[in-house]
Amino acid sequence: MKKRKKLGAERLSEFFRQFSVLVESGLSIPETLEIMQQDDTDREFCLACRKLGAFMTEGKTVGDAMEETGRFPEPAIQMIRAAEMSGQLVRTTARLAVHYEKEHRTEGKIRSAVLYPKILVLMMIFLMLFVFLEILPTLEPILVDVTLPLLTRILMGISHFLYAYRYFLPVAAVMILAGWKILTERVWFRYSYDRVICKFPVVGRQIRIICTARFCENMSSLYSSGLPITSCLKYTEGTTGNMYLDREIRTIMERGILLSEAIRESGGFEKKLAAVIVTGEEAGHLDKMLERIAGSYEHESDLALNKLVNLLEPVMILLIGIFTGILILGIMEPMWNMYGSIR
């Protein structure tokens, strides 16, 4: 089967919400899908509903039809299959709607958090190019008879190099971005990069909190739908957004011990998580405990995002300040020397 692009969290939330409301109102599943596919505001959403309805007319269950479309994530498919067997399809789809709404909200917060640092980086790059391609070439004829200090000579050398290859700079930028994208798709690089990020002082703990919140939310949704803990771990792998923590989940699966013990011995997740889960295991209410800890970590995830932004902003401003100071010093020092020799 040809691999198709999955529906995003926003569209998944909308799909499961509409599906739950329409089925609960008494409509059959084919009627529900027929109504949903009339939404022409999103072509991918409409096509997914149409494909789902077509596969169901062939006699497939909802879960199997979702898998055939190639538009739905594996955890959602498994939850729907479990719900069909237990007769809780409406409840599960309503829960999935809430789950993907939270995921969409989290993704939006992450995008907003990294937007400001991205703008600062772009400003710094444009400032650098303006100085090296416009200001320094203009000043060079003035300083031709002046003995240049080391810093100025270095800046002039960089300016000559960038000016000589200025027409290749856009190509170089595209190649760097493409190279970074290729590297991040390599398992060994992504694992090493995510591991370093998780172990990084201060920032690492905030990243772990955000990823732990995703892990708890997905585990809570899957386990409450009736799936066994091993299946929950299997389908949770790949949902944290961090390959290092995803491998920790795989290690937990392979060890075959209690979830709380495995998390306690792993080096990736927050230690507090194990203490809370062991309470649920002993009381026999792991589903309720996972739901509560998911809600708690959702709040902590929001705080962690705010802390990350508060940490990144001054660091980026400091870097821009240092870079600007070096440029000013490199430009002004020979001017001061020239002024001193005239006096």
Side-chain angles (χ1 to χ4, degrees):
M1 184 179 64
K2 183 181 177 182
K3 186 177 180 180
R4 294 186 175 90
K5 184 180 178 181
K6 306 287 187 185
L7 292 174
E10 183 181 13
R11 301 312 290 162
L12 285 169
S13 174
E14 185 66 23
F15 173 86
F16 286 117
R17 179 172 287 104
Q18 289 186 28
F19 188 94
S20 173
V21 170
L22 291 172
V23 172
E24 190 176 20
S25 67
L27 293 174
S28 66
I29 294 177
E31 291 173 331
T32 295
L33 293 172
E34 187 175 349
I35 292 173
M36 290 172 64
Q37 72 187 30
Q38 295 174 10
D39 181 6
D40 56 358
T41 57
D42 190 317
R43 182 177 176 276
E44 293 296 323
F45 180 86
C46 181
L47 186 60
C49 294
R50 188 177 297 119
K51 289 283 186 182
L52 187 59
F55 284 123
M56 288 196 65
T57 57
E58 297 175 5
K60 296 183 184 296
T61 62
V62 180
D64 291 342
M66 282 183 173
E67 186 175 35
E68 288 293 329
T69 64
R71 305 298 178 106
F72 296 89
E74 189 64 26
I77 293 170
Q78 298 305 323
M79 286 180 65
I80 292 297
R81 282 174 172 162
E84 287 180 293
M85 289 188 288
S86 61
Q88 297 183 340
L89 188 60
V90 172
R91 177 176 175 271
T92 299
T93 50
R95 186 179 182 88
L96 280 167
V98 174
H99 169 74
Y100 283 111
E101 182 181 3
K102 289 180 180 178
E103 190 170 305
H104 172 63
R105 191 162 58 240
T106 301
E107 290 173 355
K109 289 175 182 176
I110 292 173
R111 283 194 296 269
S112 300
V114 300
L115 179 61
Y116 184 64
K118 283 181 178 179
I119 293 173
L120 289 179
V121 168
L122 286 174
M123 286 175 59
M124 188 165 64
I125 291 172
F126 282 119
L127 173 64
M128 179 188 72
L129 292 175
F130 179 72
V131 170
F132 285 128
L133 297 178
E134 292 293 333
I135 295 179
L136 289 179
T138 304
L139 290 175
E140 189 172 10
I142 303 173
L143 305 174
V144 68
D145 296 324
V146 179
T147 303
L148 300 178
L150 176 62
L151 178 59
T152 306
R153 292 200 303 272
I154 293 172
L155 292 178
M156 285 296 183
I158 296 172
S159 176
H160 292 159
F161 176 82
L162 291 176
Y163 193 83
Y165 295 99
R166 61 190 181 280
Y167 297 116
F168 296 98
L169 291 179
V171 177
V174 171
M175 290 178 64
I176 290 171
L177 291 174
W180 176 255
K181 182 175 175 60
I182 292 170
L183 272 177
T184 53
E185 290 174 353
R186 297 290 183 270
V187 175
W188 62 269
F189 178 84
R190 185 64 186 272
Y191 173 79
S192 302
Y193 175 79
D194 288 346
R195 187 175 187 276
V196 169
I197 290 294
C198 283
K199 299 293 184 180
F200 207 77
V202 185
V203 174
R205 184 172 187 274
Q206 310 309 321
I207 296 293
R208 290 198 305 272
I209 288 174
I210 294 169
C211 293
T212 301
R214 285 183 165 183
F215 171 77
C216 292
E217 178 62 32
N218 282 285
M219 280 293 294
S220 173
S221 298
L222 288 163
Y223 192 70
S224 64
S225 69
L227 291 172
I229 196 72
T230 52
S231 297
C232 294
L233 288 168
K234 177 182 177 182
Y235 299 122
T236 301
E237 184 183 352
T239 61
T240 64
N242 186 290
M243 191 165 287
Y244 168 65
L245 294 180
D246 286 340
R247 194 164 292 185
E248 290 289 316
I249 295 173
R250 191 184 308 168
T251 304
I252 292 172
M253 281 189 342
E254 292 170 350
R255 296 191 63 185
I257 58 178
L258 286 175
L259 180 61
S260 57
E261 292 180 11
I263 290 176
R264 187 184 296 113
E265 294 176 13
S266 72
F269 293 98
E270 286 290 290
K271 299 300 181 184
K272 183 178 71 173
L273 178 61
V276 176
I277 288 178
V278 72
T279 305
E281 289 173 337
E282 292 174 351
H285 299 295
L286 184 58
D287 53 342
K288 294 180 180 178
M289 195 57 68
L290 282 170
E291 186 175 355
R292 289 174 185 170
I293 193 65
S296 172
Y297 268 110
E298 183 184 4
H299 175 66
E300 289 194 34
S301 175
D302 292 341
L303 295 178
L305 275 172
N306 292 331
K307 287 180 182 177
L308 277 178
V309 174
N310 293 334
L311 285 170
L312 286 173
E313 285 181 5
V315 169
M316 295 301 301
I317 292 172
L318 178 63
L319 289 175
I320 292 176
I322 292 172
F323 176 72
T324 306
I326 291 172
L327 290 177
I328 292 173
L329 182 62
I331 294 170
M332 296 304 297
E333 188 176 1
M335 307 287 282
W336 293 330
N337 293 342
M338 185 172 64
Y339 177 72
S341 64
I342 293 172
R343 292 183 64 185

